[in-house]
Amino acid sequence: MIKNNVEDKVTISGSHSSRFMREIRVAWAIATKDMLTYYTKPAALMFGILFPFTLFLSFSIGRDIPLAQQIPMLIAQTLFFASSSIGPVVIPMERANQTFDRFLTAPVTLLSVLMGKTLAGIIYGVGISIIPVIVGVSFFGSQIVNVGALIACFALSSLAFSALGIMFASIPGQTPGQVMMPLNFVRIPLLFISGIFTPIGDLPTWMQVVSLLSPLTHTVELARYGLGTGGFFGPIINIAVLGGYAAVFVFMSVRFHILNQRKE
Amino acid sequence: MDNAVETKNLTKYYDKLLAVDHINFETKKGEVFGFLGPNGAGKTTTIRMLTGISKPTEGTATVMGYDIQRQPIQAKEQMGIVPDVSNIYSELSAWDNLVFTGKLYDLPKELRDTKAEELLKMFGLYERRREKVQGFSRGMKRRICIAMALMNRSSIVFLDEPTSGLDVQSVLIIRETIRKLNQEGLTIFITTHNLEEASQMCDRVAIINRGKIAAIDTPEKLKRTIQGLQSVEVAFASTPVNALNDLKEFPDIREVVKEGDKFRLFTDDPSSVLASVWNYSQSNNLNLITVNTLGPSLEDVFVNLTGIRPTTEESKRSDKNK
């Protein structure tokens, strides 16, 4: 039978560092559970893998650009779509079968819960987007000339886009489609202003200003710096803008989920 | 601090709809506290506020002395929750569900494994621990859900309709488990539609109706508040088609309710009704197989306070035929 032994009891009223470590462990547990449970769900496969690869092929086939130069575009698209797709798949499904309530009743902060969810999106995005790098380097003559830029590209983009997905997942809904639809209203237009299909240098000035505001622009540019094909705004601006967006999206996702809890 | 749960003016609005209306009550440590009420009365909303899922619009609630708003982590550490829906991960195995819950409470690995094994054995599911729970029956899923609520060795467990719609075996296992856990000192906060279950299991019950606490006391004391309401239960070997209408014509009858193959005749004068029943059976050549005089039940208290009689399949069919 279950014993309520005092010595058994794990208390969290320890130091700040042990409390912090506890939050990290719980966030990691949530991320690994999401990986096991949701990575192979049809909505995750469709919006996270099929969608960016299909888009890439439909815009690249028949264009007179060497494949090695197109690899950064594919990296950026997969990072963008894969990272931002996990939250909108996981959270509505968990809301529908009420498993999201488990996190709200667990002795952890909402920030840790959402960080766990964000981490699942980051790992999914990085895991898928690394494939074009390996394929490009192995088969199409791509060369990694700036490891730092590539690491910054992967780390900041996956964080920002995963948090973007979590932010949209605060939209009340119990199916991934209810979140994916408004998210795609944002994601798809960004493709056309972010220098993926048209180099930013070829755009009119006002469009260049708009591209500066798109986080995807800076993912594409950092991927290009990493693989030695050059960029427009420069890596410092790319890192600063992407870092800023990552912070804003994380903050907004937590705020929106807190607001949701008040309406529950 | 003798109270496991304490609420002060706890209130919840959904836009303009008042779901819970300034309720005040206490649950003592170590008791089984029943929270009864018709659908939409505010039972689940109250549990959701007490467990931190939902934020109250107004008022406060403490669980084991911790304010759920100001000290949510400490309060949540004290509780286990079984919601009205078995919210388990159907893609994971029974074992993984329990282990994941242990991780949410940051239990060390050894303790997680020991607890998971202990609980799965206790609920008769250890042999099927490696199977994904999506293939489990409703009752088995419910047992897993309760086992998950016990992973963190809480001081209080909130159970929202734990036996609703389950097979008999699961109901018996769950009731027995609740009794044992309570005997070991765990406070149980339970909502149920099953008034008989509440009457048998709860030390005290609160009846909530339209968001307000209508009564709160021990089941026996609540029954005594309507002591005047007595009834005679009768069953015939073969029931005449128009028996219900005939019985309603008896003198001194307040209400007649058909309960399965029996009739319950509510009255202030059981002896007069007994005589009428005897005369009716003789004049219609009916064989009386059951005659009981009954005091008020918790269900009668519930009906008296809420004006709602819990529907049975039998009464639903009867209403449909009318």
Side-chain angles (χ1 to χ4, degrees), chain A residues 1-5 8-13 19 22-23 25-26 29-30 32-33 36-38 41 93-94 97-109 258 261-264, chain B residues 12 14 48 51-55 73 76-78 81 84-85 87-89 91-92 100 103-108 111 115 118-119 122 145 148 150 152-155 180-181 184 186:
Chain A
M1 211 56 210
I2 306 305
K3 295 184 183 77
N4 292 305
N5 296 339
D8 247 12
K9 199 107 189 166
V10 177
T11 59
I12 57 152
S13 52
R19 219 183 269 187
R22 174 196 169 104
E23 298 280 332
R25 283 194 296 270
V26 173
I30 292 170
T32 50
K33 189 273 300 165
L36 282 172
T37 316
Y38 297 105
K41 290 281 173 199
M93 288 177 83
E94 291 195 328
N97 53 31
Q98 294 190 18
T99 44
F100 196 75
D101 287 353
R102 290 212 165 269
F103 307 126
L104 301 179
T105 56
V108 284
T109 60
I258 288 172
Q261 214 182 344
R262 285 198 188 130
K263 289 183 202 158
E264 278 280 338
Chain B
K12 183 72 183 181
Y14 290 113
R48 288 173 75 82
T51 54
I53 297 172
S54 170
K55 303 235 180 258
I73 305 282
K76 288 172 187 177
E77 207 191 19
Q78 303 291 323
I81 298 116
D84 53 345
V85 175
N87 60 346
I88 51 181
Y89 297 96
E91 299 86 351
L92 300 181
F100 175 63
K103 286 179 181 174
L104 279 183
Y105 286 86
D106 198 34
L107 303 184
L111 185 57
K115 294 288 294 182
E118 193 180 355
L119 285 162
M122 183 170 132
C145 196
M148 287 163 86
L150 300 174
N152 68 321
R153 295 143 295 117
S154 41
S155 310
K180 280 183 183 170
L181 291 169
E184 290 174 10
L186 207 71

XYZ file of all heavy atoms in Angstrom, chain A residues 1-5 8-13 19 22-23 25-26 29-30 32-33 36-38 41 93-94 97-109 258 261-264, chain B residues 12 14 48 51-55 73 76-78 81 84-85 87-89 91-92 100 103-108 111 115 118-119 122 145 148 150 152-155 180-181 184 186:
730
model
N 0.842 -1.213 0.000
C 0.000 0.000 0.000
C 0.876 1.262 0.000
O 2.020 1.229 0.418
C -0.855 -0.066 1.272
C -2.191 0.578 1.146
S -3.141 -0.074 -0.207
C -4.062 1.345 -0.611
N 0.294 2.347 -0.417
C 1.055 3.585 -0.547
C 1.337 4.172 0.821
O 0.471 4.273 1.669
C 0.257 4.611 -1.359
C -0.153 4.013 -2.693
C 1.034 5.887 -1.565
C 0.960 3.487 -3.512
N 2.570 4.531 1.031
C 2.944 5.131 2.301
C 3.219 6.613 2.092
O 3.827 7.002 1.125
C 4.196 4.455 2.848
C 3.982 2.999 3.187
C 5.250 2.443 3.810
C 5.108 0.978 4.109
N 5.233 0.138 2.928
N 2.736 7.389 3.030
C 2.981 8.832 2.954
C 4.123 9.213 3.892
O 4.003 10.111 4.699
C 1.720 9.608 3.327
C 0.656 9.410 2.289
O 0.889 9.654 1.120
N -0.486 8.941 2.717
N 5.220 8.480 3.784
C 6.335 8.728 4.696
C 6.909 10.118 4.489
O 7.106 10.543 3.371
C 7.449 7.707 4.448
C 6.988 6.320 4.769
O 6.028 6.137 5.506
N 7.654 5.343 4.196
N 10.022 10.107 2.622
C 9.818 9.853 1.200
C 9.607 11.140 0.437
O 9.900 11.242 -0.738
C 8.549 9.014 1.032
C 8.890 7.626 0.527
O 10.069 7.295 0.545
O 7.961 6.903 0.162
N 9.015 12.081 1.147
C 8.514 13.290 0.504
C 9.641 14.125 -0.107
O 10.609 14.464 0.538
C 7.784 14.139 1.538
C 6.882 15.139 0.916
C 5.460 14.700 1.098
C 4.557 15.582 0.293
N 3.249 14.999 0.179
N 9.498 14.419 -1.384
C 10.489 15.273 -2.037
C 9.975 16.697 -1.938
O 8.940 17.023 -2.483
C 10.647 14.878 -3.522
C 11.609 15.800 -4.219
C 11.112 13.451 -3.616
N 10.647 17.511 -1.206
C 10.177 18.889 -1.071
C 10.933 19.773 -2.050
O 12.052 19.475 -2.455
C 10.406 19.428 0.350
O 11.785 19.351 0.616
C 9.637 18.630 1.381
N 10.272 20.821 -2.443
C 10.933 21.714 -3.405
C 11.343 23.017 -2.730
O 11.751 23.948 -3.374
C 10.016 22.012 -4.592
C 8.709 22.609 -4.096
C 9.787 20.817 -5.435
C 8.086 23.498 -5.093
N 11.156 23.036 -1.423
C 11.465 24.276 -0.725
C 12.963 24.398 -0.461
O 13.389 24.826 0.591
C 10.677 24.343 0.574
O 10.889 23.164 1.302
N 15.837 24.463 -6.941
C 14.528 24.724 -7.536
C 14.668 24.901 -9.048
O 13.881 24.391 -9.820
C 13.945 26.002 -6.921
C 12.458 25.909 -6.674
C 11.925 27.186 -6.136
N 11.935 27.236 -4.693
C 11.383 28.231 -3.998
N 10.823 29.243 -4.623
N 11.414 28.225 -2.693
N 15.331 21.631 -10.695
C 14.087 20.863 -10.732
C 13.243 21.283 -11.948
O 12.726 20.439 -12.680
C 13.309 21.101 -9.439
C 11.939 20.481 -9.408
C 11.102 21.088 -8.290
N 9.728 20.680 -8.422
C 9.140 19.758 -7.668
N 9.810 19.167 -6.726
N 7.891 19.419 -7.835
N 13.151 22.600 -12.163
C 12.372 23.113 -13.296
C 12.989 22.633 -14.622
O 12.276 22.276 -15.543
C 12.315 24.647 -13.256
C 11.639 25.220 -12.011
C 10.108 25.212 -12.055
O 9.550 25.272 -13.157
O 9.494 25.134 -10.975
N 14.750 19.877 -15.073
C 14.497 18.432 -15.219
C 13.064 18.181 -15.699
O 12.834 17.337 -16.559
C 14.736 17.714 -13.881
C 16.202 17.494 -13.549
C 16.361 16.502 -12.405
N 15.796 17.003 -11.163
C 16.464 17.721 -10.254
N 17.728 18.024 -10.464
N 15.872 18.127 -9.142
N 12.116 18.935 -15.119
C 10.713 18.735 -15.522
C 10.514 19.175 -16.977
O 9.839 18.492 -17.753
C 9.760 19.491 -14.568
C 8.325 19.434 -15.074
C 9.827 18.889 -13.161
N 11.750 16.496 -19.141
C 10.827 15.350 -19.126
C 9.648 15.617 -20.072
O 9.218 14.726 -20.818
C 10.316 15.099 -17.709
N 9.145 16.848 -20.060
C 8.017 17.202 -20.937
C 8.463 17.140 -22.404
O 7.753 16.607 -23.257
C 7.472 18.614 -20.575
C 6.799 18.571 -19.191
C 6.495 19.122 -21.635
C 6.443 19.931 -18.615
N 10.923 15.338 -23.742
C 11.154 13.952 -24.203
C 9.827 13.222 -24.395
O 9.668 12.449 -25.340
C 12.063 13.163 -23.233
O 11.547 13.319 -21.907
C 13.477 13.630 -23.270
N 8.877 13.495 -23.510
C 7.548 12.871 -23.665
C 6.906 13.329 -24.979
O 6.351 12.519 -25.725
C 6.686 13.232 -22.455
C 5.366 12.508 -22.339
C 4.248 13.187 -23.084
C 4.009 14.578 -22.569
N 3.190 15.368 -23.493
N 8.497 11.541 -27.947
C 8.039 10.155 -28.086
C 6.606 10.088 -28.592
O 6.241 9.192 -29.350
C 8.080 9.447 -26.716
C 9.425 8.979 -26.212
C 9.299 8.493 -24.780
C 9.943 7.843 -27.092
N 5.807 11.046 -28.165
C 4.368 10.943 -28.401
C 3.906 11.627 -29.676
O 3.007 11.130 -30.347
C 3.615 11.561 -27.192
O 4.238 11.111 -25.999
C 2.161 11.138 -27.169
N 4.505 12.764 -30.022
C 3.894 13.575 -31.084
C 4.726 13.754 -32.354
O 4.210 14.252 -33.341
C 3.543 14.969 -30.523
C 2.517 14.912 -29.420
C 2.889 15.091 -28.088
C 1.181 14.651 -29.695
C 1.951 15.021 -27.065
C 0.238 14.584 -28.689
C 0.634 14.768 -27.375
O -0.304 14.694 -26.389
N 3.129 12.159 -35.376
C 1.712 12.426 -35.661
C 1.583 12.995 -37.077
O 2.448 13.791 -37.507
C 1.146 13.450 -34.664
C 1.012 12.918 -33.252
C -0.223 12.052 -33.128
C -0.270 11.387 -31.758
N -1.143 10.243 -31.723
N -3.922 19.097 -29.126
C -4.260 17.696 -28.866
C -4.294 17.428 -27.363
O -5.155 16.712 -26.868
C -3.246 16.767 -29.549
C -3.407 16.753 -31.063
S -2.196 15.742 -31.885
C -2.943 14.144 -31.732
N -3.347 18.022 -26.649
C -3.328 17.825 -25.186
C -4.510 18.535 -24.525
O -5.004 18.082 -23.501
C -2.010 18.323 -24.607
C -0.846 17.441 -25.029
C 0.394 17.660 -24.209
O 0.608 18.796 -23.768
O 1.149 16.683 -24.030
N -7.624 16.141 -25.079
C -7.792 14.996 -24.161
C -7.422 15.357 -22.716
O -7.243 14.471 -21.881
C -7.036 13.750 -24.660
C -5.599 14.037 -24.951
O -5.000 14.900 -24.301
N -5.027 13.364 -25.925
N -7.356 16.644 -22.460
C -7.168 17.200 -21.111
C -5.840 16.825 -20.450
O -5.693 16.965 -19.238
C -8.338 16.817 -20.203
C -9.640 17.451 -20.663
C -10.775 17.301 -19.666
O -10.573 17.020 -18.499
N -11.982 17.493 -20.127
N -4.886 16.314 -21.237
C -3.590 16.005 -20.631
C -2.794 17.288 -20.334
O -1.888 17.273 -19.515
C -2.749 15.063 -21.527
O -2.834 15.517 -22.863
C -3.257 13.641 -21.458
N -3.167 18.399 -20.995
C -2.477 19.659 -20.695
C -2.746 20.067 -19.237
O -1.901 20.704 -18.598
C -2.923 20.773 -21.661
C -1.999 21.963 -21.672
C -0.774 21.904 -22.316
C -2.329 23.132 -21.003
C 0.095 22.989 -22.310
C -1.474 24.218 -20.990
C -0.250 24.141 -21.648
N -3.921 19.663 -18.716
C -4.241 19.967 -17.308
C -3.220 19.338 -16.347
O -3.026 19.824 -15.246
C -5.643 19.444 -16.952
C -6.736 20.289 -17.586
O -6.411 21.333 -18.181
O -7.915 19.893 -17.489
N -2.617 18.240 -16.778
C -1.605 17.581 -15.920
C -0.461 18.546 -15.599
O 0.079 18.525 -14.499
C -1.009 16.347 -16.603
C -1.973 15.219 -16.710
C -1.305 13.854 -16.643
N -2.346 12.866 -16.391
C -2.722 12.473 -15.197
N -2.129 12.927 -14.131
N -3.697 11.605 -15.054
N -0.095 19.361 -16.594
C 1.000 20.318 -16.374
C 0.553 21.447 -15.457
O 1.320 21.950 -14.658
C 1.492 20.895 -17.706
C 1.857 19.844 -18.710
C 1.305 19.828 -19.972
C 2.758 18.840 -18.377
C 1.626 18.842 -20.888
C 3.093 17.848 -19.281
C 2.526 17.859 -20.541
N -0.724 21.839 -15.624
C -1.228 22.950 -14.808
C -1.389 22.542 -13.348
O -1.380 23.390 -12.469
C -2.572 23.447 -15.361
C -2.558 23.940 -16.815
C -3.945 24.380 -17.247
C -1.584 25.112 -16.984
N -1.537 21.240 -13.097
C -1.690 20.787 -11.705
C -0.366 20.260 -11.133
O -0.319 19.877 -9.970
C -2.756 19.682 -11.595
O -2.402 18.616 -12.467
C -4.131 20.197 -11.961
N 0.671 20.209 -11.948
C 1.973 19.739 -11.456
C 2.692 20.881 -10.730
O 2.481 22.052 -11.056
C 2.821 19.251 -12.628
N 3.521 20.536 -9.749
C 4.212 21.600 -8.998
C 5.396 22.194 -9.754
O 6.547 22.089 -9.324
C 4.658 20.882 -7.721
C 4.773 19.452 -8.096
C 3.809 19.192 -9.213
N 5.105 22.764 -10.907
C 6.131 23.464 -11.694
C 5.516 24.741 -12.251
O 4.299 24.862 -12.327
C 6.662 22.635 -12.894
C 7.601 21.568 -12.458
C 5.521 22.064 -13.715
N 6.376 25.649 -12.679
C 5.852 26.909 -13.217
C 5.392 26.708 -14.666
O 5.870 25.796 -15.351
C 6.937 28.006 -13.199
O 8.021 27.540 -14.007
C 7.434 28.288 -11.798
N -1.009 32.358 -19.835
C -1.518 32.806 -18.525
C -2.923 33.401 -18.696
O -3.835 33.112 -17.917
C -0.545 33.823 -17.872
C 0.719 33.100 -17.396
C -1.212 34.561 -16.701
C 1.823 34.016 -16.905
N -5.413 30.722 -19.011
C -5.712 30.054 -17.736
C -6.768 30.845 -16.965
O -7.603 30.272 -16.277
C -4.432 29.943 -16.923
C -4.389 28.685 -16.087
C -3.143 28.618 -15.241
O -2.178 29.334 -15.479
N -3.156 27.760 -14.239
N -6.729 32.171 -17.095
C -7.721 32.994 -16.388
C -9.127 32.761 -16.939
O -10.105 32.879 -16.243
C -7.362 34.474 -16.527
C -6.206 34.821 -15.637
C -6.086 36.310 -15.390
N -4.834 36.546 -14.693
C -3.941 37.440 -15.046
N -4.172 38.230 -16.063
N -2.827 37.587 -14.359
N -9.169 32.445 -18.256
C -10.496 32.226 -18.868
C -11.006 30.815 -18.613
O -12.162 30.525 -18.829
C -10.395 32.442 -20.380
C -10.197 33.886 -20.778
C -10.185 33.992 -22.287
C -9.485 35.250 -22.737
N -8.999 35.157 -24.107
N -10.098 29.898 -18.196
C -10.478 28.481 -18.011
C -11.594 28.332 -16.988
O -11.526 28.905 -15.920
C -9.273 27.672 -17.545
C -8.374 27.246 -18.654
C -8.891 26.029 -19.407
O -9.698 25.283 -18.840
O -8.499 25.861 -20.559
N -16.402 32.072 -9.372
C -15.915 31.978 -10.753
C -16.995 32.447 -11.726
O -18.121 31.946 -11.714
C -15.533 30.527 -11.078
C -14.959 30.343 -12.471
C -13.580 30.909 -12.605
C -13.038 30.795 -14.001
N -11.681 31.319 -14.118
N -17.718 32.910 -15.843
C -17.309 32.711 -17.235
C -18.016 33.809 -18.022
O -19.220 33.702 -18.263
C -17.720 31.332 -17.749
C -16.925 30.212 -17.117
C -17.535 29.295 -16.273
C -15.565 30.076 -17.345
C -16.810 28.272 -15.686
C -14.834 29.068 -16.763
C -15.462 28.158 -15.936
O -14.732 27.155 -15.350
N -11.500 22.532 -10.266
C -10.486 23.135 -11.148
C -9.836 24.355 -10.492
O -8.657 24.607 -10.678
C -11.108 23.510 -12.503
C -11.419 22.274 -13.350
C -12.172 22.623 -14.611
N -11.349 23.241 -15.626
C -10.570 22.589 -16.477
N -10.507 21.291 -16.448
N -9.853 23.242 -17.373
N -7.458 23.048 -7.649
C -6.252 22.355 -8.101
C -5.349 23.229 -8.978
O -4.338 22.755 -9.482
C -6.623 21.074 -8.871
O -7.532 21.418 -9.916
C -7.266 20.046 -7.968
N -5.753 24.477 -9.182
C -4.870 25.405 -9.890
C -5.027 25.395 -11.390
O -4.293 26.089 -12.096
N -5.974 24.616 -11.926
C -6.166 24.602 -13.383
C -6.811 25.918 -13.813
O -6.461 26.494 -14.835
C -7.052 23.405 -13.810
C -6.361 22.086 -13.470
C -7.374 23.462 -15.297
C -7.215 20.853 -13.668
N -7.739 26.358 -13.000
C -8.489 27.566 -13.329
C -8.278 28.605 -12.224
O -8.110 28.239 -11.058
C -9.965 27.159 -13.420
O -10.773 28.279 -13.512
N -8.282 29.857 -12.615
C -8.062 30.924 -11.623
C -9.413 31.463 -11.150
O -10.284 31.763 -11.976
C -7.268 32.075 -12.238
C -5.931 31.646 -12.804
C -4.800 32.450 -12.215
C -3.474 32.014 -12.799
N -2.708 31.156 -11.940
N 2.976 26.243 -6.132
C 3.889 25.085 -6.223
C 3.749 24.225 -4.968
O 3.595 22.995 -5.054
C 5.354 25.561 -6.404
C 5.485 26.498 -7.606
C 6.303 24.385 -6.498
C 5.506 25.881 -8.954
N 0.309 22.512 -4.896
C 0.182 21.428 -5.874
C 1.013 20.209 -5.478
O 0.692 19.085 -5.854
C 0.599 21.921 -7.270
C -0.420 22.865 -7.894
C 0.116 23.471 -9.167
C -0.819 24.534 -9.710
N -0.277 25.178 -10.925
N 2.080 20.459 -4.751
C 2.912 19.350 -4.301
C 2.162 18.442 -3.320
O 2.495 17.271 -3.167
C 4.170 19.905 -3.632
C 5.317 18.944 -3.737
C 6.471 19.351 -2.855
O 6.269 20.143 -1.929
O 7.568 18.844 -3.098
N 1.125 18.995 -2.701
C 0.384 18.248 -1.679
C -0.740 17.407 -2.257
O -1.357 16.641 -1.540
C -0.245 19.234 -0.672
C 0.724 20.154 0.022
C 1.622 19.406 0.974
O 1.181 18.468 1.631
N 2.874 19.794 1.042
N -4.613 14.466 -8.404
C -5.886 14.840 -9.053
C -6.333 13.759 -10.027
O -5.558 13.300 -10.855
C -5.739 16.180 -9.810
C -5.388 17.286 -8.816
C -7.032 16.560 -10.527
C -4.067 17.897 -9.039
N -12.526 14.373 -14.205
C -13.704 13.613 -14.650
C -13.432 12.811 -15.920
O -14.110 11.832 -16.188
C -14.913 14.552 -14.837
C -14.613 15.734 -15.748
O -13.415 15.984 -16.005
O -15.558 16.412 -16.172
N -12.424 13.222 -16.689
C -12.028 12.464 -17.880
C -10.660 11.835 -17.584
O -9.805 12.490 -17.000
C -11.888 13.420 -19.099
C -11.364 12.686 -20.311
C -13.222 14.080 -19.401
N -7.423 11.515 -18.157
C -6.463 12.232 -19.014
C -5.093 11.564 -18.956
O -4.161 12.044 -18.336
C -6.398 13.716 -18.641
C -5.971 13.953 -17.219
O -5.958 13.025 -16.420
N -5.606 15.167 -16.892
N -5.020 10.445 -19.652
C -3.750 9.719 -19.708
C -3.215 9.769 -21.133
O -3.955 10.091 -22.055
C -3.922 8.249 -19.241
C -5.081 7.601 -19.990
C -4.150 8.185 -17.753
C -5.336 6.180 -19.577
N -1.933 9.453 -21.286
C -1.319 9.491 -22.621
C -1.528 8.130 -23.281
O -0.842 7.168 -22.942
C 0.164 9.833 -22.518
C 0.369 11.209 -21.941
C 0.621 11.385 -20.586
C 0.265 12.339 -22.750
C 0.768 12.655 -20.048
C 0.420 13.601 -22.227
C 0.671 13.751 -20.874
O 0.804 15.005 -20.351
N -0.805 7.044 -26.108
C 0.303 6.533 -26.933
C 1.401 5.911 -26.080
O 2.281 5.239 -26.602
C 0.934 7.666 -27.765
C 0.010 8.347 -28.753
C -0.786 9.486 -28.126
O -0.731 9.632 -26.879
O -1.491 10.191 -28.856
N 1.360 6.173 -24.781
C 2.395 5.621 -23.895
C 1.869 4.367 -23.208
O 0.664 4.156 -23.116
C 2.797 6.645 -22.821
C 3.383 7.985 -23.286
C 3.737 8.841 -22.079
C 4.609 7.793 -24.153
N 6.257 9.014 -16.194
C 6.224 10.421 -16.605
C 5.623 11.296 -15.497
O 6.123 12.392 -15.226
C 5.445 10.590 -17.916
C 5.291 12.026 -18.323
C 6.404 12.796 -18.631
C 4.048 12.631 -18.360
C 6.277 14.141 -18.976
C 3.910 13.967 -18.698
C 5.034 14.722 -19.016
N 8.130 11.952 -13.030
C 9.087 12.976 -13.491
C 8.514 14.375 -13.311
O 9.243 15.313 -12.984
C 9.434 12.744 -14.969
C 10.360 11.560 -15.193
C 10.633 11.392 -16.668
C 11.542 10.195 -16.927
N 11.700 9.935 -18.370
N 7.200 14.526 -13.549
C 6.576 15.848 -13.360
C 6.702 16.309 -11.906
O 6.746 17.493 -11.632
C 5.092 15.794 -13.737
C 4.720 15.893 -15.214
C 3.203 15.894 -15.375
C 5.297 17.126 -15.862
N 6.715 15.332 -10.994
C 6.866 15.660 -9.567
C 8.324 15.563 -9.131
O 8.622 15.605 -7.947
C 5.968 14.764 -8.720
C 4.512 15.154 -8.840
C 3.723 14.651 -9.862
C 3.946 16.065 -7.960
C 2.394 15.033 -10.001
C 2.620 16.449 -8.081
C 1.849 15.933 -9.107
O 0.544 16.317 -9.248
N 9.198 15.366 -10.111
C 10.648 15.329 -9.873
C 11.047 14.269 -8.855
O 11.914 14.500 -8.006
C 11.149 16.718 -9.438
C 12.659 16.837 -9.599
O 13.192 16.241 -10.550
O 13.304 17.501 -8.760
N 10.425 13.105 -8.921
C 10.820 12.020 -8.021
C 12.113 11.397 -8.557
O 12.276 11.271 -9.774
C 9.747 10.938 -7.967
C 8.332 11.339 -7.562
C 7.438 10.094 -7.486
C 8.323 12.049 -6.233
N 13.008 10.991 -7.675
C 14.221 10.309 -8.145
C 13.862 8.994 -8.856
O 12.824 8.399 -8.568
C 14.985 10.014 -6.851
C 14.326 10.812 -5.796
C 12.952 11.112 -6.226
N 12.827 5.835 -6.852
C 11.524 5.997 -6.206
C 10.402 5.922 -7.238
O 9.356 5.307 -6.995
C 11.480 7.343 -5.464
C 10.237 7.621 -4.625
C 10.013 6.546 -3.580
C 10.356 8.980 -3.946
N 7.495 3.162 -7.016
C 6.107 3.587 -6.881
C 5.263 3.064 -8.046
O 4.139 2.612 -7.841
C 6.026 5.131 -6.875
C 6.654 5.802 -5.715
C 5.879 5.630 -4.461
C 4.547 6.326 -4.514
N 3.818 6.176 -3.234
N 4.606 -0.609 -7.528
C 3.692 -0.790 -6.396
C 2.244 -0.467 -6.801
O 1.311 -1.220 -6.515
C 4.157 0.171 -5.291
C 3.555 -0.046 -3.942
C 4.113 0.987 -2.950
O 5.008 1.778 -3.304
O 3.616 0.987 -1.831
N 2.081 0.673 -7.506
C 0.727 1.110 -7.871
C 0.111 0.220 -8.949
O -1.084 -0.092 -8.893
C 0.768 2.572 -8.346
C 0.937 3.590 -7.224
C 1.394 4.932 -7.768
C -0.375 3.765 -6.459
N -1.040 -2.800 -7.270
C -2.208 -2.492 -6.435
C -3.486 -2.415 -7.277
O -4.548 -2.838 -6.841
C -1.948 -1.141 -5.762
C -2.991 -0.677 -4.814
S -2.288 0.762 -3.966
C -3.592 1.904 -4.109
N -5.365 6.287 -14.257
C -5.477 7.715 -13.918
C -5.378 7.915 -12.396
O -4.706 8.835 -11.929
C -6.816 8.215 -14.452
S -6.932 9.975 -14.528
N -1.845 7.360 -11.297
C -1.011 8.534 -11.596
C -1.188 9.612 -10.517
O -0.242 10.304 -10.159
C -1.351 9.105 -12.976
C -0.841 8.223 -14.119
S -1.621 8.573 -15.705
C -0.608 9.914 -16.309
N -1.613 9.087 -7.495
C -0.995 8.654 -6.233
C 0.529 8.582 -6.320
O 1.194 8.252 -5.341
C -1.556 7.287 -5.821
C -3.078 7.239 -5.594
C -3.535 5.809 -5.342
C -3.477 8.133 -4.438
N 2.780 10.866 -6.455
C 3.599 11.825 -5.699
C 3.378 11.742 -4.191
O 3.800 12.625 -3.475
C 3.320 13.255 -6.177
C 1.931 13.716 -5.814
O 1.003 12.927 -5.895
N 1.780 14.957 -5.427
N 2.703 10.704 -3.716
C 2.451 10.529 -2.278
C 1.866 11.805 -1.669
O 2.373 12.384 -0.736
C 3.759 10.157 -1.537
C 4.318 8.828 -1.955
C 5.804 8.850 -2.006
N 6.281 9.763 -3.029
C 6.992 10.816 -2.774
N 7.342 11.094 -1.548
N 7.382 11.606 -3.749
N 0.730 12.189 -2.259
C 0.107 13.435 -1.849
C -0.580 13.306 -0.478
O -0.747 12.208 0.028
C -0.918 13.833 -2.908
O -1.629 12.698 -3.335
N -0.991 14.455 0.069
C -1.715 14.457 1.340
C -3.213 14.485 1.097
O -3.996 14.140 1.967
C -1.335 15.696 2.151
O 0.051 15.818 2.211
N -9.030 2.443 1.625
C -7.710 2.122 2.198
C -6.842 3.362 2.324
O -6.170 3.576 3.321
C -6.997 1.072 1.334
C -7.480 -0.336 1.588
C -6.680 -1.315 0.762
C -7.198 -2.730 0.950
N -6.601 -3.660 -0.007
N -6.854 4.175 1.257
C -6.031 5.392 1.275
C -6.474 6.322 2.402
O -5.646 6.913 3.096
C -6.137 6.132 -0.068
C -5.495 5.430 -1.260
C -5.896 6.111 -2.554
C -3.973 5.425 -1.122
N -5.296 5.253 5.686
C -3.879 5.558 5.903
C -3.627 7.046 6.135
O -2.478 7.473 6.215
C -3.062 5.083 4.699
C -2.998 3.566 4.640
C -2.318 3.082 3.382
O -1.741 3.909 2.658
O -2.360 1.878 3.137
N -4.923 9.716 4.211
C -5.064 10.617 3.073
C -6.444 11.284 3.103
O -7.448 10.620 3.359
C -4.932 9.788 1.792
C -4.431 10.482 0.544
C -2.948 10.793 0.686
C -4.616 9.572 -0.663
